Amino acid sequence: MADANEREADSPSIQTTPVDNRGTTMNFKTISALVITAAAAGSAFAESPGTWTNAERGLATQTRAEVQAELAAFKKAGVNPWSSTYSITKDFRSTASRADVTAQYVKNRDAVAAMNSEGGGAAHFAASQPVAVSDTLAGQPAAAGN
């Protein structure tokens, strides 16, 4: 035993530094997460071809003749609906009196204020009267309850 202790004292000490694999492990985890996320995102947007309508694709829904007829009608009326000065309500005339409009506003102003509030009207709808629910199912024959 004494010989072993003497050998240890005589030999130069070797100092080892611990290996730090945290950076490598972190990079592997990050890259793995990115690959999995990219794969999931790519498959989430996949759709079968041929299920969209022309309007959903951004294609024309009117024929060339229909568009030209619509343009001719606008020109005949002297109106350009694509103009920045076009007013759709220019010739509008209300049939309601001022008193009717004021009464309708007063009747609905609490509901409008609630809808424009921070909660988006949730408190207003929660406090409103419940809607009557029917116990009749859709497609249920009239004699089924008997």
Side-chain angles (χ1 to χ4, degrees):
M1 284 279 227
D3 291 334
N5 289 336
E6 288 175 8
R7 270 189 247 141
E8 286 181 16
D10 291 341
S11 66
S13 64
I14 300 173
Q15 294 184 357
T16 60
T17 56
V19 178
D20 186 11
N21 289 331
R22 287 182 290 174
T24 306
T25 304
M26 185 61 108
N27 286 340
F28 178 74
K29 287 181 180 179
T30 303
I31 291 171
S32 298
L34 287 173
V35 168
I36 291 170
T37 304
S43 63
F45 296 117
E47 294 210 14
S48 59
T51 58
W52 293 10
T53 64
N54 284 344
E56 291 170 328
R57 289 184 187 144
L59 301 176
T61 57
Q62 294 176 311
T63 65
R64 182 176 177 85
E66 290 172 336
V67 172
Q68 288 178 339
E70 186 179 20
L71 178 61
F74 283 132
K75 285 183 177 178
K76 184 178 179 183
V79 177
N80 181 4
W82 296 278
S83 170
S84 61
T85 60
Y86 175 69
S87 174
I88 196 167
T89 59
K90 177 181 165 191
D91 296 323
F92 175 76
R93 300 291 175 256
S94 175
T95 57
S97 68
R98 182 179 180 89
D100 292 340
V101 172
T102 304
Q104 188 177 11
Y105 167 75
V106 169
K107 176 183 169 196
N108 295 315
R109 76 175 147 198
D110 291 338
V112 172
M115 294 298 291
N116 291 328
S117 70
E118 184 177 345
H124 172 73
F125 288 124
S128 64
Q129 296 296 323
V131 178
V133 178
S134 173
D135 59 351
T136 304
L137 300 175
Q140 183 179 9
N146 296 335

